[in-house]
Amino acid sequence: YTEDWTDTPKEQTGTCEFNNTDHRTELNGVERLIVRRGQSFTINLHLRSGVYQPGGSALDLTVETGPQPSDQYGTQASFGLTDQIDTSRWSAAITSPPGNMVSLSICSPPDAPIGRWRLTLGQGGRVDFVLLYNPWCSGDVVYMDSEEKLREYILAQDGIIYRGGWKYPIPTPWNYGQFEDGILNACLRILDMNPKCLRNPGKDASGRRNPIYVSRVLSAMVNCNDDKGVLQGRWTDDYDGGVSPLSWKGSVEILRNWDTNACQPVRFGQCWVFAAVACSVSRALGIPCRLVTNYNSAHDTNSNLVIERYVDENGQLVQKSRDMIWNYHCWVENWMTRPDLKPGFDGWQVMDPTPQEKSEGVYCCGPIPLKAIKEGELTDKYDAPFVFAEVNADVHTFMKRKDGSTKKIISSVHVGLKISTKSVGSDRREDITHLYKYPEGSDEEREAFTKANHQNKLLQQQDNAGLLIVIKVSTEMRKGCDFDVFAVITNNTPNEKKCRLVFGSRAVSYNGILGENCGFKDLLNVQLAPGEEKRVALRMNYSKYAENLTEDNLIRLAALLLDYGTQEAYLAVRNVVLVNPEIKVRILGEPKENRKLAAEITLQNPLPVPLQNCCFTVEGSNLTGGQVITERLNSTVEPGQDAKVKIYFTPTHSGLRKLVVDFDSNKLCHVKGYRNVIIGK
């Protein structure tokens, strides 16, 4: 009877809508079948010969994926009809009463490889479908047992990335857009373009059952360092041939550009852009994912868990080694079990797509369980020592004198601070530092350091130095204003102290590269009575810092104190973030599906100089039709005046969405803002 079975395209569209909604993939569209593994889907067949009788018709089904399907690799399976679905393997059952229309239920095993599959029905029909990971299925290794978390870590198409500094985290909106038109195709193409697939496509297709394998592939393919990857990194101020990493508002444009330009790398990215694109791809494929920021992130190039910093006699950094402390660094965490490791290492895994160091000959990093980092288990896969150093490295500071000699100086710098991610279901910051490290000074911390052979931290004694120097700043330093910063010196000794204070400031990029001087003071004769505290102010003038700032809006303050009596040197360092003005977004009209809406967007010029070439760009998943809306102002915006535009857009789906805004001009670059919009049905 096998040639009896047919299916019609019209039926397929209805079937796609039903199945995709049931499998929570309908936001990708309902024109094709997109289902999750370990969960059954339905197709409707018509019998040419009239009526189906149970037991009377045989049906052979075959499914295959990849260019070299094989039973052995799990990329091909042949099966017939059974009385009921078996969710542990490929199976099919008829779920409709006798008649000329037959509903066929088909299920894949929860460990089937993800990707594009072909289903052949006997001699007749063929159905193509995409299979994704299924975090709603308890048999899947990416299973997550919280509907609320899945709404955030799989279904949320926008989010918040934390930048700025650890004393002043700045939330930046991002449009992940993993369900926008064409994005799933781009994600599958990333898997197809990876060197492992090009070398051995059959084995790679089989490897896609495993999110550990896929996460590692993604961490290599989001950067283009060894392959036809998505993004090219650049950490200088010269973005010729591309755009500043700060100009991106979301992943959609990046993934589309890569996909439509023959997999040429998109220029340019920095850590938060790499991480955000990796987050979009992970969520699109069905791996729960969140983006994480680590403040004061150590980049340890020689794996000794020590960052060595050198300063000159004015307390300014001198670049002597590739070891760096980044003001912040972003990566992602993917959720999965780790059957390849001993028990206890399931859950969140760090995966870092920013190209920093090679791993197994390729620029990639992870996945490594958070628990392995916390416990100091540095032999676990993959790349534990590098990530452990990012949050735990010790910092040693040396002064390099003019005569070439060096001297260790007293300075307290902590790495791995205020590790942050967006909260589930709200725009608040969630602090997850405790998932990476034990409380400082605790027995558990010492145990983890012992396992990790982190000798420097174990030997550390607290220097209760007689002289103390710290840098204090005002609560909020706005870009465009003049303000004071203070070096506060305290003499905790019973003796009078005579010191020299060098207090300087320089523009700095978020990854620690120093720019030009923004203000400087050298006091040769600071006298302190026993117990005395002195505050020394340094004025930061807009006229001085404006031209030197990088797009990161960061100034690095350094105060170096030299004790003439003991020849000891003390250093305090602090990065300050200059705050951009707020973008105000007003929604005009009642937000409803498929109804045109207007938004009025305003920014007040906070600078003492006029702004020219002002431009607002806006995007939002299911709000702006997958496109970026651009509005340029023809006029100059004077100090204190408003830059204002009105934009129109038509939401396509109900629910909570973010309208993400970027403002750019000649003097005020890439200011970010957003507005949450609740779209009614």
Side-chain angles (χ1 to χ4, degrees):
Y1 292 104
T2 46
E3 48 285 349
D4 253 2
W5 306 81
T6 68
D7 64 325
T8 64
K10 182 171 172 295
E11 283 293 339
Q12 278 305 307
T13 306
T15 310
C16 289
E17 188 164 358
F18 170 79
N19 285 313
N20 290 9
T21 306
D22 193 40
H23 285 246
R24 300 172 177 86
T25 63
E26 77 282 3
L27 285 170
N28 288 294
V30 292
E31 296 74 44
R32 58 175 172 166
L33 192 54
I34 303 168
V35 294
R36 298 187 184 277
R37 60 188 196 173
Q39 181 178 342
S40 59
F41 59 94
T42 304
I43 54 176
N44 295 326
L45 303 172
H46 290 268
L47 272 183
R48 289 201 191 99
S49 62
V51 176
Y52 162 72
Q53 292 300 332
S57 311
L59 180 61
D60 297 318
L61 298 100
T62 304
V63 288
E64 41 192 30
T65 185
Q68 302 161 358
S70 85
D71 288 348
Q72 177 200 348
Y73 274 153
T75 48
Q76 180 180 33
S78 298
F79 51 101
L81 293 175
T82 46
D83 289 344
Q84 57 195 55
I85 288 291
D86 177 351
T87 54
S88 67
R89 59 186 181 86
W90 284 102
S91 61
I94 285 174
T95 53
S96 59
N100 65 350
M101 232 283 281
V102 173
S103 283
L104 187 62
S105 199
I106 298 167
C107 191
S108 60
D111 63 349
I114 61 154
R116 290 190 175 85
W117 285 79
R118 303 169 293 285
L119 164 66
T120 314
L121 303 151
Q123 313 298 307
R126 168 178 157 172
V127 178
D128 291 339
F129 63 96
V130 175
L131 191 66
L132 302 177
Y133 293 111
N134 192 352
W136 284 269
C137 166
S138 59
D140 197 316
V141 290
V142 298
Y143 174 64
M144 194 174 232
D145 66 350
S146 157
E147 194 64 47
E148 193 191 8
K149 286 182 179 170
L150 286 165
R151 270 200 298 277
E152 184 71 53
Y153 298 137
I154 289 283
L155 299 177
Q157 293 182 79
D158 40 49
I160 301 282
I161 298 172
Y162 291 95
R163 296 177 47 251
W166 75 274
K167 292 264 192 180
Y168 199 91
I170 292 182
T172 305
W174 191 268
N175 178 29
Y176 292 118
Q178 68 270 34
F179 304 125
E180 292 284 19
D181 195 35
I183 298 304
L184 181 56
N185 284 351
C187 296
L188 294 173
R189 191 172 185 188
I190 289 172
L191 299 183
D192 291 342
M193 293 308 294
N194 100 74
K196 290 176 179 171
C197 179
L198 300 176
R199 275 199 303 273
N200 187 340
K203 190 175 174 200
D204 174 79
S206 172
R208 294 180 192 183
R209 71 180 59 232
N210 182 354
I212 303 167
Y213 174 81
V214 168
S215 294
R216 193 151 173 79
V217 163
L218 290 183
S219 91
M221 279 299 292
V222 169
N223 69 69
C224 70
N225 285 41
D226 320 272
D227 43 47
K228 283 189 168 303
V230 178
L231 274 163
Q232 185 175 331
R234 181 157 293 176
W235 282 268
T236 63
D237 267 352
D238 169 24
Y239 300 122
D240 281 356
V243 299
S244 155
L246 272 169
S247 68
W248 304 112
K249 295 168 294 303
S251 310
V252 177
E253 214 182 336
I254 295 169
L255 288 164
R256 276 206 191 126
N257 286 358
W258 176 80
D259 193 31
T260 53
N261 292 313
C263 308
Q264 291 301 304
V266 177
R267 303 182 176 135
F268 292 100
Q270 288 176 359
C271 71
W272 72 93
V273 188
F274 287 108
V277 170
C279 184
S280 298
V281 179
S282 296
R283 288 182 185 181
L285 298 176
I287 304 173
C289 182
R290 62 186 185 185
L291 194 146
V292 169
T293 301
N294 175 41
Y295 288 100
N296 283 14
S297 192
H299 183 160
D300 177 21
T301 53
N302 57 4
S303 303
N304 65 349
L305 297 178
V306 175
I307 304 292
E308 295 185 343
R309 299 192 310 172
Y310 291 85
V311 296
D312 61 19
E313 291 178 270
N314 291 329
Q316 292 300 337
L317 268 189
V318 190
Q319 214 49 57
K320 254 186 70 94
S321 82
R322 282 181 57 230
D323 283 1
M324 300 283 287
I325 296 171
W326 292 28
N327 199 47
Y328 62 84
H329 179 49
C330 302
W331 55 70
V332 294
E333 294 171 3
N334 281 359
W335 178 270
M336 65 195 72
T337 61
R338 289 299 298 266
D340 58 324
L341 301 176
K342 62 182 187 226
F345 292 93
D346 298 342
W348 291 116
Q349 318 282 322
V350 170
M351 184 258 274
D352 188 349
T354 299
Q356 298 181 90
E357 297 294 319
K358 285 192 171 184
S359 169
E360 298 179 335
V362 176
Y363 279 98
C364 67
C365 177
I368 179 74
L370 266 61
K371 191 85 165 116
I373 303 303
K374 186 169 181 173
E375 299 296 341
E377 301 273 3
L378 300 197
T379 55
D380 284 345
K381 289 178 174 163
Y382 292 86
D383 310 306
F386 186 76
V387 180
F388 183 85
E390 286 181 304
V391 298
N392 283 310
D394 206 15
V395 185
H396 293 177
T397 310
F398 299 89
M399 186 195 291
K400 195 165 181 8
R401 298 195 185 96
K402 285 195 185 75
D403 63 11
S405 63
T406 56
K407 172 182 168 57
K408 191 166 182 189
I409 58 179
I410 298 166
S411 177
S412 76
V413 177
H414 296 288
V415 307
L417 299 171
K418 223 179 240 186
I419 304 174
S420 303
T421 189
K422 176 189 176 299
S423 290
V424 171
S426 92
D427 288 348
R428 283 193 305 274
R429 187 183 71 83
E430 181 185 348
D431 194 301
I432 54 170
T433 312
H434 63 282
L435 299 180
Y436 282 85
K437 45 214 280 196
Y438 284 106
E440 207 163 308
S442 65
D443 291 348
E444 294 92 340
E445 183 198 46
R446 292 191 75 77
E447 206 173 306
F449 287 163
T450 305
K451 268 191 223 160
N453 198 21
H454 197 355
Q455 296 301 336
N456 289 291
K457 277 275 170 101
L458 290 167
L459 298 171
Q460 237 173 40
Q461 297 299 314
Q462 233 8 72
D463 288 314
N464 280 332
L467 280 172
L468 189 66
I469 181 159
V470 291
I471 294 172
K472 294 271 169 94
V473 299
S474 13
T475 48
E476 209 169 58
M477 290 147 286
R478 299 206 157 273
K479 194 171 183 176
C481 298
D482 300 343
F483 55 90
D484 285 326
V485 291
F486 301 93
V488 182
I489 313 157
T490 316
N491 177 10
N492 293 322
T493 72
N495 312 315
E496 187 178 346
K497 288 283 183 185
K498 275 190 183 168
C499 308
R500 175 184 176 189
L501 172 69
V502 186
F503 192 9
S505 62
R506 282 171 76 177
V508 65
S509 65
Y510 89 97
N511 63 328
I513 306 288
L514 283 172
E516 295 302 312
N517 168 31
C518 297
F520 183 77
K521 208 172 236 188
D522 188 355
L523 305 178
L524 295 171
N525 188 13
V526 179
Q527 297 201 4
L528 291 155
E532 190 184 354
E533 178 183 287
K534 271 207 169 123
R535 285 168 85 85
V536 176
L538 180 65
R539 188 75 174 160
M540 308 300 297
N541 292 311
Y542 175 77
S543 57
K544 180 94 170 148
Y545 69 69
E547 293 309 314
N548 296 331
L549 273 189
T550 71
E551 290 184 326
D552 295 312
N553 282 352
L554 291 167
I555 295 176
R556 181 180 185 274
L557 306 173
L560 181 70
L561 189 68
L562 295 161
D563 180 341
Y564 288 128
T566 64
Q567 292 299 304
E568 282 290 3
Y570 304 83
L571 178 71
V573 174
R574 180 159 176 178
N575 287 346
V576 297
V577 186
L578 298 188
V579 184
N580 275 326
E582 185 192 355
I583 294 177
K584 295 197 164 85
V585 182
R586 215 170 107 227
I587 303 292
L588 310 171
E590 188 191 350
K592 286 218 160 159
E593 253 180 43
N594 304 317
R595 183 196 286 180
K596 195 171 177 183
L597 258 187
E600 189 181 76
I601 304 172
T602 318
L603 172 140
Q604 187 182 35
N605 177 8
L607 307 184
V609 295
L611 300 179
Q612 287 161 344
N613 310 332
C614 299
C615 176
F616 285 96
T617 50
V618 179
E619 68 176 89
S621 285
N622 309 143
L623 294 176
T624 58
Q627 304 303 315
V628 176
I629 299 171
T630 304
E631 282 290 333
R632 295 183 189 281
L633 273 74
N634 299 323
S635 53
T636 299
V637 179
E638 296 298 327
Q641 295 295 303
D642 283 346
K644 186 186 272 193
V645 294
K646 195 186 253 189
I647 60 127
Y648 296 91
F649 59 98
T650 306
T652 49
H653 287 84
S654 61
L656 176 64
R657 299 286 184 267
K658 279 182 172 51
L659 192 68
V660 178
V661 183
D662 174 271
F663 171 84
D664 199 26
S665 67
N666 65 330
K667 296 283 184 192
L668 195 59
C669 298
H670 299 307
V671 180
K672 306 291 182 193
Y674 73 97
R675 174 72 190 258
N676 287 333
V677 188
I678 298 171
I679 310 295
K681 275 211 182 303

